[in-house]
Amino acid sequence: MTDRFDSKAFLASVTERPGVYRMLNADGEILYVGKARNLKNRLSSYFRGTPKAIKTRRLVEQVADVEITTTQTEAEALLLESNLIKAHRPRYNVLLRDDKSYPWIYVSTNDRFPRLAYHRGSRKRPGRYFGPYPSAGAVRETLNLLEKVFKVRQCEDSVFKNRSRPCLQYQIERCKAPCVAYVDEAEYRQDVEDTMAFLGGRSQKLIDDLVQRMEQAATDLDFEKAATLRDQIGMLRAVSQQQGITGMSGDADVIAQISEQGMTAVGVATIRDGRHLGTRHFFPDVPADADPGEVISGFLGLYYSEHELPRRILCDRLPEDAEWLAGMFTEQAAHRVELIEPKRGKARAWLEDTRENARIALAERLVSRRGLTRRFEALGEWLAMERIERIECFDISHTQGELTVASCVVFGPEGPRKDQYRRYHIEGIAGGDDYAAMHQALSRRFDRAVRESGVLPDVLLIDGGKGQLAQAIDVLATRNLTDRVRVIGVAKGPERRPGEETLLQPLPDAPGLYAEDNLSPHDPALHLIQQVRDEAHRFAITGHRARRQKARTQSDLERIPGVGGKRRQALLKHFGGIRGLKNASVSELAKAPGISPTLATRIHEWFHEGGSA
């Protein structure tokens, strides 16, 4: 403990209310954020006597000040603690790098003909949500199955409303074409109800109901319907056998952790309505010598600040504050939440399976990390840098100069830091001007860093040649960052083959001139540069495609003045689709319902005089 901090005077005035505390060092850096139902009791445990844990002793030795914030409830303290940890990332806290939300399956029950959809993010839109699922693959696998069994539409509303004939999904028997009234509303609604019964975990009840309907259809001599129901029953039974039986009912998360060689893996198996939806693995940043109970407590607080709370959380070890956490989770979820450490039975078997999966995932991670560590060391040797903690790489993507997107990816010795990736939508430049796009993206990145005293990269990679590199040099120079950031241009070789990249570095005493290096194709330093560059390229392209797709969801017709939703639909039905509409003459257009000669001329000019892309 530092001489500057008088713990006795501080503890004498600390409140006994619930709240959050922040421990700071002499430079004002937040070392640790914690929560407490009784701030006085919790903080006293740090400064009375010598802490047993090595990590705690090291922490207390650096404390120069403690700040507290009281809260009305313990649940509010949990949420505030989580927000502060994510904002400040203190070195002595358990940190989650992967805060990406789980995906769900959404059913738009308010629509006349509801659709099924993959969903991630806020669940404020009216309808039913099923999940969460551990991965996008699990959602898509389920959606693919539902297409085959119940044939409920999954197309976007914009496509559904503008169909004039069935699509390919109808032809391959994966949709009943409600868009063109090939199925009546009552039959379609029954398919939706069956779909939601399956998603809700009522598979056996659904199968029993389908059997009764099949027998009734056979009694009524409706053999076609009976055959359809028979096929549905067969597929559902096959799926039930593949998924297996969890041996547990209701909702539960199974959480197990394992630590080896300074790394920790936490496995989370998701069980909803008795069905195992899959397992996801996390690799939190854990302080050295951290107690396993403390790790699981920190993980639970962060994880459930952004994920849905089940009624049971099965842990391979309970933290000391398990009872308190359960109470806060109950208040947060508005239903009872139990933290349990099962000792036997199916629940214990699930814990052992989850722990074994976490062990395998950690082993794979350790192998990958050793290779990445060697690559970082090789890059440091080439650049004569003692240590590299952060690499950033920028890339530009567009289509013929339109909808330009810049990407920034971040790598550390532990791998990609995806929670710190950024995309920049570039505006106000000439189409195709990659130099201006790079300058704008870098300016926005480093203006914010200067304004907020934010973190800077040790190495800045620029995907491009001398022109792009010159933009980076200019941005860093005008912000007095040249001596703090090492910048490298990564120019593709003459044949654009991997391994032939030319690496450009500015010469300090010769503005506008560059040192050029071609590392061996087998050099680990080059492999790291390629890995980061390729990730920036991938991230830029996916961002650009998403932006382009969003722009294209607004059809050509929607952009023609005077053509609203009703006229658009009438035109598509009248001409049998967009192709027939484009080929129509002005006089033919004028014959369509609600289309005047003036509007017909405008539509024709739009399609034939450059109005449409």
Side-chain angles (χ1 to χ4, degrees), residues 343-387:
K343 301 297 185 182
R344 61 183 66 85
K346 285 285 186 181
R348 186 66 199 181
W350 270 103
L351 267 175
E352 295 300 333
D353 285 345
T354 304
R355 182 178 174 82
E356 178 61 17
N357 286 327
R359 186 193 64 76
I360 294 170
L362 181 58
E364 294 173 350
R365 187 87 164 195
L366 285 168
V367 171
S368 174
R369 183 168 183 175
R370 281 194 289 270
L372 189 62
T373 299
R374 174 68 191 108
R375 292 181 177 186
F376 264 80
E377 291 173 350
L379 183 61
E381 291 171 6
W382 175 60
L383 295 175
M385 296 177 65
E386 184 175 341
R387 189 167 180 81

Side-chain angles (χ1 to χ4, degrees), residues 390 393-395 405-410 417-424 445 448 539-540:
R390 183 184 180 93
C393 183
F394 279 75
D395 189 21
V405 172
S407 72
C408 171
V409 301
V410 182
R417 298 177 177 176
K418 294 190 176 183
D419 60 323
Q420 298 178 42
Y421 284 17
R422 295 292 181 269
R423 288 194 183 105
Y424 302 89
R445 159 66 177 104
R448 181 174 182 179
F539 194 56

Side-chain angles (χ1 to χ4, degrees), residues 321-331 335-339:
D321 56 354
E323 183 180 348
W324 181 39
L325 278 172
M328 288 193 291
F329 288 156
T330 296
E331 183 178 342
H335 62 70
R336 187 182 179 190
V337 177
E338 295 180 284
L339 266 66

Side-chain angles (χ1 to χ4, degrees), residues 6-66:
D6 188 344
S7 61
K8 291 184 179 180
F10 168 75
L11 293 173
S13 61
V14 172
T15 178
E16 296 185 358
R17 290 181 55 186
V20 172
Y21 56 92
R22 298 172 295 282
M23 293 183 167
L24 290 75
N25 64 12
D27 296 325
E29 175 191 3
I30 296 179
L31 299 171
Y32 183 78
V33 174
K35 62 185 176 300
R37 68 167 70 182
N38 183 316
L39 285 167
K40 189 180 188 70
N41 289 348
R42 181 71 184 97
L43 288 166
S44 296
S45 67
Y46 286 100
F47 301 105
R48 289 177 180 167
T50 302
K52 294 181 180 179
I54 298 175
K55 187 213 78 168
T56 306
R57 287 204 301 271
R58 291 175 179 169
L59 168 63
V60 171
E61 287 170 357
Q62 299 177 60
V63 172
D65 193 13
V66 178

Side-chain angles (χ1 to χ4, degrees), residues 491-502 518:
K492 297 180 179 66
E495 302 296 328
R496 305 176 71 87
R497 285 197 295 262
E500 296 182 354
E501 291 87 352
T502 298
N518 295 96

Side-chain angles (χ1 to χ4, degrees), residues 214-233:
M214 179 184 68
E215 292 173 348
Q216 184 61 49
T219 302
D220 297 339
L221 304 182
D222 189 348
F223 299 115
E224 184 177 352
K225 181 177 180 181
T228 299
L229 291 167
R230 178 202 61 203
D231 293 342
Q232 288 180 336
I233 292 167

